[in-house]
């Protein structure tokens, strides 16, 4: 397996770092080499947050990337500071409600609206994780296991499932690429 | 057993593996996780954890614990590290073995509390007043953070000197796979039985043994100039000169053991990178990339930032066309590199980027190297 990477961008309080942590734990449990890095401000809420996970079957030589296999943008707060990432990443998914700016190549996905729909507004981060599972980036069951010890596991599991379904419904052709 | 640990967690685990039994500190981003971990784990193992009122107190509590026989450490970041300098200077003078972790964030002053930098390497080396020599180490992965923490304790105990572990926020908060070694070499300090001078040594490479404070043995401790028995002598030239010379020699005569590095790439490179910490990770990829394009490239990664073996670096580096020193500061290690590669003869360039948590990317280094090689390499000024 070639080295792969997933990046999440959002606003402080959305659980971007949490999502990256769960993703890293899930991939680690699979026996992979994992590197998780994040960039955030001193704010508890608000402010620009970016977190990513690099994973591979061999040791991660350099975790400092400026392009990713998958990039998910959950909020457009200060997103301009990450324009390079949006430009260079392979698959860019943006939330269709919380990201109002238009980016070329970006695919809009109703991650936040999905969370609203199932009554779990604020869990768009876990919906995004489910979405990644739907893209075959990571195994859904592994994510579920990684979420086991979190608070409100039931709700997280529900959000995860919703995100997974959403990705399948969207039938992205990129899905095929990742399953290779 | 493999674990997924942040650099901070790896340091805490490394400290426990090295036998650390005492931690005092004051919380500060991005080093707090070390303190959290020690607060949780030390009491379970019969150790002591103290949250001090500030960093000044923290470092002095640690010195006291160390003199009383404990393997003691503290952890902080830039602003706290500045406050600790006075205490570290005192520890140098009274030869108290302590480990100080400085998780480097963007400075000066409060700077950017959550963002990484490598701006404290000269402060770690020279932050105190007077002639003083310490050891500073810089891991570049959580795995190495674990290993070098153990090494830091061993060096501190063996040479009776403060050892400063410099780690940047990228590695401190980044989580990666760590496989703790099955066997850990722990140095136990020699405890003096009595009758020897606790502040003098016939062999300048060896630090004198120390009686534990409170064990009933005779021990005078002072930050003023003192003789071998610890008696203050604030007049005499010889006493002071011999003391500071010995404090220097016990570090510098052990250079072969203290200077740790990794050399990676071509034997006789055209492009030589000298780097450390997280930045060296990007450099490694840049070296791979340059070599795949047929450019002879090499990385010398310093695990020890002080003392530095200049001769060895010169021997390893050979006669390159260009020397690049990437750092997350405005150019600090480059001053040492320029002592090895005279900038009037060699092309020595820094690659500097700091602030906002944006790392130096490998493609930037490759471009820089190719640009300089294209323009002829060696300096003609």
């Amino acid at each position: 397996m070639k080295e792969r990477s997933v990046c999440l961008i959002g606003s402080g309080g959305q659980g971007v770092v949490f999502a990256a942590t769960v993703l890293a734990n899930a991939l680690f449990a699979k026996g992979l080499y994992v590197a998780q890095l994040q960039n955030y401000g001193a704010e508890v809420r608000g402010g620009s947050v970016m977190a990513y996970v690099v994973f591979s079957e061999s040791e991660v030589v350099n975790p400092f990337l400026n392009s990713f296999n998958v990039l998910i943008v959950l909020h457009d707060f200060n997103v301009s500071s990450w324009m390079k990432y949006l430009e260079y990443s392979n698959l860019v998914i943006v939330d269709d409600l919380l990201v109002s700016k238009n980016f070329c190549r970006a695919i809009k996905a109703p991650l936040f609206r999905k969370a609203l729909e199932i009554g779990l507004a604020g869990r768009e981060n876990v919906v995004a994780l489910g979405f990644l599972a739907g893209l075959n980036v990571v195994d859904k069951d592994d994510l579920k296991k990684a979420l086991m010890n979190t608070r409100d596991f039931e709700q997280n599991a529900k959000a995860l499932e919703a995100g997974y379904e959403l990705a399948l419904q969207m039938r992205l052709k990129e899905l095929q690429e990742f399953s290779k | 057993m493999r674990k997924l640990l942040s650099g901070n967690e790896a340091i805490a685990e490394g400290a426990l593996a090295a036998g650390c039994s005492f931690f005092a500190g004051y919380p500060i981003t991005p080093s707090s996780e070390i303190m959290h971990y020690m607060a949780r784990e030390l009491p379970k193992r019969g150790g002591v954890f103290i949250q001090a009122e500030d960093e000044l107190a923290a470092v002095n509590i640690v010195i006291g614990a160390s003199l009383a026989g404990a393997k003691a450490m503290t952890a902080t970041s830039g602003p706290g590290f500045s406050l600790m300098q006075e205490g570290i200077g005192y520890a140098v003078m009274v030869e108290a073995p302590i480990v100080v972790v400085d998780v480097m964030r963007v400075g000066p002053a409060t700077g950017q509390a959550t963002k990484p930098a490598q701006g404290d390497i000269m402060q770690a080396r020279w932050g105190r007043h007077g002639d003083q020599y310490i050891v500073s180490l810089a891991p570049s992965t959580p795995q190495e953070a674990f290993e070098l923490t153990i090494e830091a304790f061993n060096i501190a105990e063996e040479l009776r000197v403060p050892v400063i572990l410099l780690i940047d926020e990228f590695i401190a908060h980044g989580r990666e796979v760590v496989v703790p070694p099955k066997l850990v070499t722990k140095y136990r300090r020699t405890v003096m039985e009595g009758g020897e001078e606790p502040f003098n040594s016939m062999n300048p490479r060896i630090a004198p043994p120390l009686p534990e404070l409170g064990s009933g043995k005779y021990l005078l401790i002072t930050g003023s100039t003192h003789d071998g028995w610890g008696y203050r002598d604030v007049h005499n030239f010889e006493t002071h000169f011999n003391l500071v010379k010995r404090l220097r020699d016990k570090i510098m005569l052990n250079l072969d053991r203290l200077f740790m590095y990794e050399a990676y790439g071509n034997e006789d490179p055209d492009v030589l990178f000298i780097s450390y910490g997280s930045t060296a990770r990007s450099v490694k990829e840049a070296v791979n990339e340059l070599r795949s394009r047929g450019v002879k490239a090499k990385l010398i990664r310093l695990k020890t930032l002080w003392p530095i073996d200049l001769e060895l670096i010169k021997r390893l580096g050979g006669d390159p066309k260009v020397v690049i020193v990437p750092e997350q500061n405005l150019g600090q290690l480059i001053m040492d590199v320029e002592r090895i590669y005279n900038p009037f003869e060699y092309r020595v360039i820094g690659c500097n980027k700091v602030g906002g948590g944006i790392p130096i990317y490998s493609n930037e280094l490759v471009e820089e190297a190719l640009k300089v090689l294209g323009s002829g390499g060696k300096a003609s000024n």
Side-chain angles (χ1 to χ4, degrees):
Chain A
M1 191 185 85
K2 258 173 60 186
E3 191 174 284
R4 286 181 184 173
S5 54
V6 176
C7 179
L8 292 140
I9 290 174
S11 168
Q14 278 190 304
V16 167
V17 176
F18 172 82
T21 307
V22 170
L23 179 61
N25 288 349
L27 294 163
F28 172 75
K30 208 77 183 157
L32 295 172
Y33 281 93
V34 180
Q36 177 202 340
L37 283 164
Q38 51 268 317
N39 188 333
Y40 50 79
E43 308 88 349
V44 175
R45 262 166 210 278
S48 170
V49 182
M50 182 274 292
Y52 65 85
V53 180
V54 190
F55 52 104
S56 167
E57 269 168 7
S58 53
E59 219 164 312
V60 178
V61 174
N62 173 24
F64 301 114
L65 308 182
N66 50 11
S67 70
F68 305 90
N69 292 102
V70 186
L71 172 64
I72 297 186
V73 186
L74 290 173
H75 201 287
D76 60 3
F77 180 88
N78 207 11
V79 75
S80 54
S81 47
W82 310 114
M83 277 319 284
K84 282 233 162 69
Y85 292 1
L86 273 101
E87 213 173 297
Y88 297 142
S89 293
N90 292 5
L91 173 61
V92 181
I93 311 280
V94 301
D95 190 88
D96 70 343
L97 191 72
L98 299 182
V99 181
S100 51
K101 295 185 187 85
N102 281 313
F103 302 103
C104 62
R105 290 196 314 116
I107 296 165
K108 292 193 174 190
L111 299 168
F112 180 68
R113 283 196 290 134
K114 196 79 193 171
L116 269 182
E117 196 184 299
I118 55 171
L120 295 173
R123 266 176 228 274
E124 57 271 22
N125 57 339
V126 185
V127 173
L129 283 177
F131 197 89
L132 287 169
L135 289 174
N136 273 348
V137 170
V138 53
D139 201 73
K140 191 179 70 175
D141 292 332
D142 291 340
L143 283 175
K144 211 165 181 175
K145 262 184 237 154
L147 282 167
M148 208 70 94
N149 292 325
T150 57
R151 254 187 312 177
D152 312 325
F153 168 69
E154 306 276 292
Q155 295 176 0
N156 281 333
K158 197 171 153 192
L160 188 73
E161 202 63 46
Y164 182 72
E165 293 300 327
L166 179 66
L168 295 192
Q169 280 161 20
M170 285 179 71
R171 294 173 190 281
L172 299 174
K173 64 174 188 303
E174 285 79 3
L175 195 149
Q176 298 303 319
E177 279 178 39
F178 281 100
S179 54
K180 271 179 204 162
Chain B
M1 199 184 67
R2 60 202 283 282
K3 296 177 174 179
L4 186 56
L5 296 180
S6 71
N8 279 344
E9 290 166 333
I11 286 177
E13 291 209 357
L16 293 174
C20 172
S21 60
F22 190 99
F23 186 102
Y26 186 79
I28 182 169
T29 301
S31 78
S32 301
E33 291 81 7
I34 301 174
M35 186 170 160
H36 298 163
Y37 198 102
M38 296 307 254
R40 210 167 48 231
E41 292 299 321
L42 270 178
K44 289 185 203 165
R45 299 161 190 245
V48 176
F49 169 84
I50 294 178
Q51 176 166 337
E53 64 267 38
D54 57 33
E55 287 88 348
L56 303 169
V59 71
N60 284 299
I61 292 170
V62 164
I63 293 168
S66 168
L67 290 171
K71 283 192 180 177
M73 88 186 288
T74 183
T76 186
S77 180
F81 191 53
S82 293
L83 294 175
M84 286 186 183
Q85 295 303 330
E86 185 188 358
I88 296 171
Y90 181 78
V92 170
M93 194 60 152
V94 303
E95 298 176 70
I98 60 170
V99 173
V100 179
V101 183
D102 174 22
V103 181
M104 291 183 282
R105 71 186 213 187
V106 173
T110 325
Q112 294 180 323
T114 59
K115 313 290 185 189
Q118 295 180 317
D120 302 352
I121 73 166
M122 286 298 170
Q123 188 195 18
R125 198 184 290 182
W126 302 121
R128 286 73 49 194
H129 58 277
D131 288 296
Q132 32 80 30
Y133 285 75
I134 51 88
V135 176
S136 77
L137 308 176
S140 82
T141 60
Q143 173 77 37
E144 203 169 73
F146 185 99
E147 290 161 6
L148 287 186
T149 304
I150 295 168
E151 199 60 49
F153 274 98
N154 288 348
I155 293 169
E157 294 287 322
E158 188 183 329
L159 295 178
R160 274 180 65 185
V161 68
V163 177
I164 294 161
L165 198 65
L166 288 172
I167 178 167
D168 50 85
E169 192 269 353
F170 276 130
I171 304 302
H173 280 165
R175 294 166 80 226
E176 285 186 69
V177 178
V178 175
V179 185
K182 285 207 179 75
L183 209 67
V184 172
T185 315
K186 284 187 248 185
Y187 184 86
R188 275 176 208 285
R189 82 174 76 154
T190 331
V191 178
M192 196 173 73
E193 292 305 321
E196 308 135 76
E197 292 175 300
F199 298 99
N200 197 11
S201 170
M202 298 310 280
N203 183 343
R205 285 173 62 105
I206 296 173
L210 185 72
E212 281 172 13
L213 199 65
S215 66
K217 301 270 161 48
Y218 171 82
L219 182 62
L220 270 175
I221 296 165
T222 173
S224 298
T225 294
H226 45 271
D227 64 12
W229 293 104
Y231 281 106
R232 279 175 88 238
D233 181 354
V234 291
H235 297 287
N236 201 330
F237 158 77
E238 273 91 12
T239 314
H240 181 76
F241 198 70
N242 290 341
L243 175 63
V244 289
K245 215 154 52 105
R246 187 175 58 77
L247 295 181
R248 180 196 62 191
D249 286 351
K250 75 176 177 183
I251 306 298
M252 298 316 276
L253 296 179
N254 283 301
L255 190 58
D256 53 341
R257 143 146 168 63
L258 296 176
F259 183 67
M260 293 176 278
Y261 66 93
E262 179 197 359
Y264 179 83
N266 290 85
E267 267 310 295
D268 187 24
D270 287 334
V271 182
L272 174 65
F273 291 99
I274 300 180
S275 194
Y276 54 95
S278 67
T279 313
R281 310 275 300 265
S282 297
V283 179
K284 211 166 195 180
E285 193 181 332
V287 166
N288 287 341
E289 175 64 22
L290 284 167
R291 293 180 74 191
S292 76
R293 294 190 194 194
V295 178
K296 286 198 286 176
K298 184 172 196 166
L299 159 67
I300 300 176
R301 179 170 70 82
L302 308 189
K303 296 185 197 179
T304 304
L305 286 178
W306 190 250
I308 292 179
D309 192 338
L310 300 178
E311 271 175 43
L312 181 63
I313 294 176
K314 174 79 187 185
R315 222 166 40 240
L316 291 166
D319 188 31
K321 291 191 174 120
V322 56
V323 184
I324 304 178
V325 189
E327 295 179 85
Q328 290 170 66
N329 56 44
L330 295 183
Q332 298 193 10
L333 186 71
I334 194 169
M335 291 188 249
D336 285 307
V337 174
E338 285 179 344
R339 292 200 290 152
I340 311 167
Y341 291 102
N342 179 348
F344 294 102
E345 281 172 42
Y346 285 90
R347 191 80 189 268
V348 183
I349 51 176
C351 192
N352 309 96
K353 198 169 164 188
V354 63
I358 309 296
I360 299 174
Y361 296 113
S362 65
N363 62 320
E364 294 170 342
L365 296 167
V366 171
E367 279 158 29
E368 186 72 27
L370 293 176
K371 196 176 83 193
V372 181
L373 276 186
S375 68
K378 284 196 179 177
S380 50
N381 47 334

